[in-house]
Amino acid sequence: TTKEFVRTMTTILLIVTFPCFGMAMNVVVFGGSGFIGSRVVQTLNSIPDCHVISISRSGGPPHRIKDEAWTQSVDWICADASSTRDTYVDALAGRNIDAAISCVGNVRPSPEWEGFWGLHWDDEVMQKENGSTNVNIVETAKKLGAKKFVYVSVSYDSAKALEGPIPGYLGGKREAEEAAYRLFQNNAIVIGPSLVYGGGRYEAGGRLLETFLRSPLAKGYRSLNNALRGISVGGDEDWVTNMALTPPIHVDIVARAIAAGVTGSLDGSKLPPRRQGFFSTTGKPVEMVPVPFVDADAIKEVAELWGTNDKLAEASTSIFRSDSTDRSDTILKSVNASKKQIKVSSETYPAFEGAFVGYRPFLYPIPVATFFVSAFQWATHINYPITPSPMS
């Protein structure tokens, strides 16, 4: 009969569509209490049907947001990033994870004075906290069923400029990227920002510097500098200049780009792979894995194209559908006028928001440099008695 037919079709429809209703996308953010991680948590938490789990050493929201209502809907878990993989598995026991993000990393100089200037980096510590720690995170995410993984690394120009001075830092980043690509292939995305500002950390200065470095004057100087070096005898690029002239980016924009990658709004298979051209401290070439990579100059475009509220909400529901369509055919093409602009936070935060915490060793060279500058000034301004030698 007609009623039986309608009842049967309704039952079939409910069975087919049920997995797409009432299901929340579970995303775990490692380092979710940090400068970038806390913004990622806040961005993901604003997406309907997206449940966020933050894992950090503090096990809670940072001081600046601890009284905000939205933090109550996030699971804040305390776990040490330097612990073994089993620590994470135990902390997340019984949870189904759809995607994971690692904002864990360390580039702080060693707190101990060493050498002539005092300032130095411990390569062993850098390798562990950027490498093996993140390998544990990647393996934990895979073991708990994550389908996508996003890793916050460093821009290409910054990596090239720092691969000699801080080899442990870049070696750790490389190790983490290799693990992410090995276990997730093109479902892993690496985001490579340069200098990140905002949220009370160099807010005005960062915005001014970004505006200048995105100007035609700065872009023209960088292009001319690279062109001149290209026709020189050596032909090597000036990586320090390139790093210095890379525009900084607001932390809210970085968070949007990360959210686009982890929700699937950004399709990793359409992204270019990590650029090559790295060398070890002995001068031998080092091959990077071809993990999908968003470099510093593309992060803003990714956020504006694929990190809007509508795109993130659409992607977070389609992650449960195996027939989800490709949403990133135009990724990394020129920005057009019809694209939505991402609004960054205009809230006020405590001065510098802990920007100098852990960076006191940068002051170590100052006494030594001051001594030599003072000695030089004294030596060049002394009135030496000059007496003519007697005529022979």
Side-chain angles (χ1 to χ4, degrees):
T1 64
T2 304
K3 288 184 178 180
E4 292 176 345
F5 175 77
V6 172
R7 187 182 300 113
T8 302
M9 294 303 297
T10 301
T11 302
I12 294 175
L13 182 63
L14 288 173
I15 293 174
V16 172
T17 59
F18 178 75
C20 299
F21 293 95
M23 296 183 67
M25 178 185 181
N26 293 313
V27 182
V28 58
V29 181
F30 294 90
S33 297
F35 177 58
I36 295 178
S38 60
R39 267 71 178 197
V40 175
V41 170
Q42 187 171 4
T43 300
L44 291 172
N45 187 71
S46 66
I47 303 174
D49 297 324
C50 183
H51 178 65
V52 188
I53 304 166
S54 168
I55 294 186
S56 63
R57 287 179 179 176
S58 67
H63 179 77
R64 65 179 182 84
I65 58 173
K66 66 177 184 178
D67 295 326
E68 296 185 13
W70 67 266
T71 61
Q72 303 302 313
S73 59
V74 175
D75 283 350
W76 304 92
I77 298 177
C78 178
D80 191 345
S82 61
S83 301
T84 62
R85 183 183 62 194
D86 292 338
T87 302
Y88 290 133
V89 173
D90 293 341
L92 293 167
R95 300 173 187 264
N96 295 318
I97 304 301
D98 296 299
I101 302 165
S102 176
C103 299
V104 174
N106 180 21
V107 72
R108 291 183 176 88
S110 177
E112 293 83 19
W113 183 293
E114 182 177 297
F116 185 74
W117 295 100
L119 179 65
H120 75 288
W121 280 261
D122 188 323
D123 285 329
E124 185 177 344
V125 173
M126 293 289 100
Q127 183 80 35
K128 177 182 178 181
E129 295 189 353
N130 294 286
S132 57
T133 294
N134 278 298
V135 171
N136 288 340
I137 289 174
V138 173
E139 293 175 348
T140 298
K142 189 65 176 180
K143 185 173 184 179
L144 294 174
K147 304 176 185 67
K148 295 182 180 296
F149 188 86
V150 175
Y151 174 55
V152 181
S153 187
V154 64
S155 70
Y156 180 76
D157 287 338
S158 297
K160 286 294 296 178
L162 298 174
E163 65 177 343
I166 318 180
Y169 174 69
L170 272 302
K173 293 289 188 184
R174 186 183 304 118
E175 186 180 348
E177 293 179 20
E178 289 174 352
Y181 185 72
R182 172 170 50 85
L183 294 179
F184 288 91
Q185 295 292 303
N186 286 335
N187 286 321
I189 294 177
V190 174
I191 306 290
S194 53
L195 177 65
V196 181
Y197 73 94
R201 181 178 292 188
Y202 316 119
E203 185 80 47
R207 198 179 303 276
L208 181 63
L209 182 60
E210 181 183 10
T211 301
F212 171 72
L213 293 180
R214 291 188 185 278
S215 68
L217 178 63
K219 290 180 178 179
Y221 174 80
R222 177 172 175 171
S223 299
L224 178 61
N225 182 58
N226 287 334
L228 291 176
R229 293 188 68 86
I231 62 176
S232 66
V233 177
D236 296 328
E237 290 193 62
D238 187 352
W239 298 113
V240 175
T241 300
N242 287 348
M243 178 180 67
L245 293 179
T246 300
I249 189 164
H250 199 282
V251 65
D252 291 346
I253 300 294
V254 177
R256 289 274 178 178
I258 295 171
V262 81
T263 59
S265 176
L266 176 65
D267 185 359
S269 65
K270 299 296 182 180
L271 290 172
R274 199 27 146 154
R275 286 175 61 188
Q276 301 295 329
F278 291 92
F279 296 88
S280 67
T281 53
T282 60
K284 295 182 179 180
V286 175
E287 185 176 358
M288 303 290 286
V289 292
V291 62
F293 185 69
V294 180
D295 209 347
D297 57 358
I299 291 177
K300 188 173 184 179
E301 185 174 347
V302 166
E304 292 175 342
L305 282 170
W306 310 109
T308 62
N309 291 335
D310 292 341
K311 288 287 186 179
L312 295 177
E314 176 188 352
S316 65
T317 56
S318 65
I319 193 173
F320 301 110
R321 298 195 297 268
S322 59
D323 61 341
S324 58
T325 57
D326 181 12
R327 294 175 295 279
S328 53
D329 289 335
T330 59
I331 189 62
L332 301 184
K333 292 184 178 179
S334 298
V335 180
N336 55 68
S338 63
K339 164 170 105 269
K340 294 184 179 179
Q341 297 292 320
I342 300 296
K343 293 182 178 180
V344 299
S345 173
S346 59
E347 299 174 74
T348 58
Y349 300 104
F352 299 113
E353 197 181 310
F356 293 119
V357 174
Y359 291 95
R360 184 176 132 185
F362 279 115
L363 304 177
Y364 289 172
I366 292 180
V368 180
T370 302
F371 170 78
F372 279 99
V373 170
S374 301
F376 177 79
Q377 290 286 335
W378 175 81
T380 54
H381 286 80
I382 190 171
N383 294 321
Y384 292 101
I386 301 177
T387 56
S389 60
M391 298 292 293
S392 55

